[in-house]
Amino acid sequence: MSTSSVPGPPGPTPLLPEDPPKVGDFWLDARALAMPAGITYLAHDDADTPVLLVLLTHGAAGDAAARDRLAGEVNHLHVETVVARGGQGQDSGRLGYLFRSETDDPVLPGETPLAPWVALLNDGSGAALAECARILRSVDLSMTSPQGRVAGPNYRLHWLDDARGGTSRTWPLPWPGRRDRAGWSSVAIAWLIIVTLAALGLLIAVLLFQNIPPSPPPPPVPTSASGSGGSGSPSPQSGSPSPSSGSPSPQSASPSQSSGSPSSASPTPGNNQHTPTKPPTMNSPGASGSSGSATPTRNKKL
């Protein structure tokens, strides 16, 4: 059989809805290979470095022996082949310095540990993809021949049916529905929208408040001299002449029966009856006591 008739590896397939958009620092582009132990993705980082990212499945990531077998296979690879590695149990060994921690990402209490993964340099050849398939076969023991004489039932790993993708964490979150990183055009458009909204809000505020009339000044606060009603101006009962001082009142025209003084109507200290008195006016009846005299006399004390 000629070499050209040997079927090559299947081509890449689109990502499935359950596939993460990003693993570590690498954005996933397509599926390259799916096996019971793990999935191989075509991916790239922020520097557009093409890699083949091998991520263990959920069942294999939960088996400590499978994690150790992956770490052993990675540590035996050439240093220029491995770009980065991460996940649970992948920070030790000869290439442990290539481990990329994600401890700075937010983690919920009781969250499942991250599945082990390794990013290998993708040169576009079939040999790189064949190397990924060899690593996954070493993890699920499908390329390991049985030792000794076969007897009894066949051995089968308990996690082979759990072929879901391993646990991964994406932070910061990508744009909804987008499976790739945001380019410079997306960032520029986002900033342009923010600046436009801010300018529009400022313009609306200026248009709303430019036609408002100025508010009148507050009324002056009265001082203590002008605020007190009876301190500056004399009371009508304090001795100021009444407007009707020229004409005698009926009570002032009649002289007092007991004495000629105007204050005879005020109650005496010994008198128990409170008789209302009329305040004295500037024109008081004469002190002569004559009942027939109706001409008022002027108070000479003023």
Side-chain angles (χ1 to χ4, degrees), residues 8 16 28 34 54 59 80 91 133 145 161 179 181 205 208 227 257 286:
L16 300 180
L28 305 185
V54 179
E80 296 181 356
D91 55 349
S145 59
D161 295 331
R179 297 285 178 172
R181 68 188 188 280
L208 287 177
Q257 296 179 0

Side-chain angles (χ1 to χ4, degrees), residues 79-120:
V79 65
E80 296 181 356
T81 305
V82 182
V83 178
R85 59 192 299 191
Q88 185 181 10
Q90 303 300 309
D91 55 349
S92 61
R94 185 175 65 91
L95 300 180
Y97 66 94
L98 296 176
F99 178 80
R100 297 188 182 182
S101 176
E102 300 180 40
T103 56
D104 55 342
D105 296 344
V107 181
L108 297 177
E111 187 175 359
T112 306
L114 300 180
W117 59 269
V118 57
L120 305 180

Side-chain angles (χ1 to χ4, degrees), residues 71-193:
E73 291 294 333
V74 172
N75 288 326
H76 284 88
L77 295 176
H78 194 275
V79 65
E80 296 181 356
T81 305
V82 182
V83 178
R85 59 192 299 191
Q88 185 181 10
Q90 303 300 309
D91 55 349
S92 61
R94 185 175 65 91
L95 300 180
Y97 66 94
L98 296 176
F99 178 80
R100 297 188 182 182
S101 176
E102 300 180 40
T103 56
D104 55 342
D105 296 344
V107 181
L108 297 177
E111 187 175 359
T112 306
L114 300 180
W117 59 269
V118 57
L120 305 180
L121 187 64
N122 184 16
D123 56 359
S125 63
L129 190 59
E131 183 68 13
C132 297
R134 186 194 65 80
I135 293 175
L136 292 177
R137 288 193 183 97
S138 300
V139 174
D140 62 10
L141 302 177
S142 59
M143 62 179 300
T144 304
S145 59
Q147 299 178 1
R149 186 173 62 88
V150 179
N154 191 13
Y155 177 77
R156 188 174 186 273
L157 295 173
H158 63 280
W159 47 261
L160 287 179
D161 295 331
D162 191 0
R164 296 174 297 166
T167 305
S168 60
R169 186 183 303 122
T170 303
W171 188 263
L173 297 177
W175 190 264
R178 187 181 179 93
R179 297 285 178 172
D180 198 357
R181 68 188 188 280
W184 65 269
S185 59
S186 302
V187 177
I189 292 174
W191 276 106
L192 182 61
I193 293 175

